[in-house]
Amino acid sequence: MEDIIRARLMQPELQLIDENELEADREYLMQMYPARARLIMVMVEDACDRLEYEGSPMFAQFPDKEYMLGISRNIYNKISFEDDDNLRYMIDVMICNEFYVRRNRYKRRRKFF
């Protein structure tokens, strides 16, 4: 039994993750976000889209916290007309999560090219 498991782990085609399936699942779950969070997520994705290039600060080994908070601050300033720490924290978390998702996708793709 152990030999069968070891043999399957050694076959790269069995280790491939279907990116489209993962992305569809993620999008489905994000549709459950409250309306305001979905609006913010669109802005977060747009900001991260502009950072998806080779050598981007997003893909640095240790992304700069101040840089990430700057992105969050820009989004917060566009949508908030009041001082709301909870909203600011939510945007911070969304930025960190989006960086995490994109960095993992980037790493997986680099292994194959």
Side-chain angles (χ1 to χ4, degrees), residues 39-98:
L39 169 69
I40 294 167
M41 195 63 211
V42 168
M43 298 175 81
V44 166
E45 288 174 336
D46 181 59
C48 289
D49 284 347
R50 287 184 263 126
L51 289 172
E52 243 180 309
Y53 58 86
E54 194 67 37
S56 167
M58 182 188 321
F59 302 125
Q61 184 175 2
F62 301 103
D64 182 47
K65 182 178 179 180
E66 289 304 314
Y67 185 81
M68 293 173 71
L69 291 176
I71 296 169
S72 177
R73 208 171 13 257
N74 288 340
I75 293 170
Y76 177 80
N77 290 337
K78 289 178 185 176
I79 63 168
S80 183
F81 303 104
E82 58 198 53
D83 192 20
D84 184 353
D85 285 340
N86 290 327
L87 177 62
R88 188 173 311 133
Y89 299 148
M90 183 179 77
I91 297 169
D92 290 346
V93 169
M94 292 171 97
I95 291 286
C96 289
N97 184 63
E98 192 66 16

